[in-house]
Amino acid sequence: MDGATVVQAAPVLILLGPPGAGKGTQARLLEERFGLVQLSTGDLLRAAVAAGTEAGKAAESVMKAGGLVSDEIVLAILADRLAEPDCAQGVILDGFPRTTAQAEALDALLAESGQCINAAISLDVDDVKMVIRISGRFTCGTCGEGYHETLKPPKQKGICDQCGGSKMMRRADDTAETAMARLDAYHVQTEPLIEYYRAKRALSCVNAMQAIDRVADQIAKIVEEKTA
Ligand code: ADP
Ligand code: ADP
Ligand code: ZN
């Protein structure tokens, strides 16, 4: 497979990066700009936990401790979501794959329908920045827009810029204690994917320490190039 030259009707993009790199923030901007569907395994898992499904029960303690949920659970949840009709317009995978086994399973799943990934975009940030970003992160409980206490506060304190909602939520795993475990999981289990996608000539890297708009513009250029 040569991801660098593939052209297909429904783009498949991957956002790679440690927790706090800006994957969710950028995925939402890509949804708006390119009409793609954001598919976040973190969001799907949190929904499974909230719904109390078998998968959610198995995932909850692992997520709280900052580890990675088993490939089996994550793959089942992802395959179900990918099969939904809206995904036919193209997807941005946010937080998936996170292990080599997941990346291989994704390639196999896409191959079944004659697809492959257009680009894997690595959002590069240093470890110190990542801890600052996740420890100040919160989200609008109504529309899902992401914020940060100092880096991206809403214009009016406590009120969502996008939907006017006032129910702001913090994630149970966004603590200084889990930050280290999550970083470890990233470096040990997920970072090898950078070489995996480089070898397939599908990798693009963006300096994600820049302002949100600048990162977004650079990602947009990559998407335009890889889906043209
Ligand atoms: P972040 O935005 O901080 O990178 P996510 O919302 O993507 O975090 O994921 C939250 C947690 O959900 C992870 O720490 C992990 O426990 C679990 N998780 C999400 N995606 C995956 C995946 N692809 N494989 C295994 N675990 C996952
Ligand atoms: P991820 O999905 O990779 O875990 P998020 O998109 O949730 O990361 O971003 C983590 C936090 O950092 C959020 O509070 C977000 O508002 C903020 N953030 C994201 N990108 C940037 C950036 N380029 N500069 C400053 N803050 C950012
Ligand atoms: Zn909102």
Side-chain angles (χ1 to χ4, degrees):
M1 181 187 82
D2 182 351
T5 55
V6 72
V7 177
Q8 58 193 357
V12 180
L13 306 168
I14 291 171
L15 291 182
L16 277 177
K23 302 181 297 294
T25 303
Q26 296 298 333
R28 283 174 77 88
L29 294 171
L30 284 170
E31 275 197 322
E32 277 171 32
R33 200 154 172 172
F34 294 97
L36 303 169
V37 173
Q38 174 190 13
L39 222 158
S40 154
T41 42
D43 285 348
L44 294 172
L45 287 165
R46 280 184 287 278
V49 170
T53 64
E54 282 307 309
K57 281 181 201 148
E60 189 170 16
S61 55
V62 181
M63 292 171 77
K64 262 206 182 112
L68 291 188
V69 175
S70 75
D71 290 336
E72 196 190 355
I73 290 179
V74 175
L75 281 164
I77 284 186
L78 180 95
D80 281 355
R81 181 65 186 90
L82 258 184
E84 285 177 29
D86 62 332
C87 291
Q89 65 203 72
V91 293
I92 312 143
L93 299 174
D94 155 13
F96 179 93
R98 258 170 152 104
T99 64
T100 304
Q102 289 179 16
E104 288 167 352
L106 175 66
D107 287 343
L109 190 68
L110 293 173
E112 281 173 20
S113 52
Q115 287 178 285
C116 58
I117 66 156
N118 293 70
I121 302 168
S122 172
L123 302 185
D124 302 332
V125 290
D126 67 36
D127 289 3
V128 174
K129 201 103 182 182
M130 168 266 164
V131 176
I132 294 170
R133 285 198 186 166
I134 66 169
S135 52
R137 160 161 67 185
F138 61 94
T139 305
C140 169
T142 308
C143 74
E145 182 69 7
Y147 292 98
H148 190 280
E149 279 160 19
T150 53
L151 302 169
K152 190 195 166 197
K155 291 191 184 80
Q156 203 184 331
K157 197 172 189 297
I159 307 292
C160 177
D161 297 343
Q162 298 292 327
C163 76
S166 58
K167 198 173 123 219
M168 295 297 184
M169 311 208 323
R170 282 190 55 83
R171 277 169 44 181
D173 59 342
D174 275 349
T175 61
E177 297 83 71
T178 57
M180 292 306 140
R182 290 162 69 192
L183 255 188
D184 264 9
Y186 174 75
H187 288 306
V188 175
Q189 291 171 277
T190 308
E191 215 166 24
L193 294 182
I194 292 180
E195 288 312 318
Y196 179 91
Y197 289 115
R198 199 195 307 277
K200 289 182 181 290
R201 298 179 51 222
L203 183 76
S204 300
C205 296
V206 171
N207 172 6
M209 313 265 270
Q210 307 173 92
I212 291 174
D213 290 354
R214 257 188 96 85
V215 176
D217 285 345
Q218 291 179 8
I219 294 178
K221 279 209 186 81
I222 294 166
V223 174
E224 277 159 9
E225 212 174 279
K226 303 281 187 175
T227 60

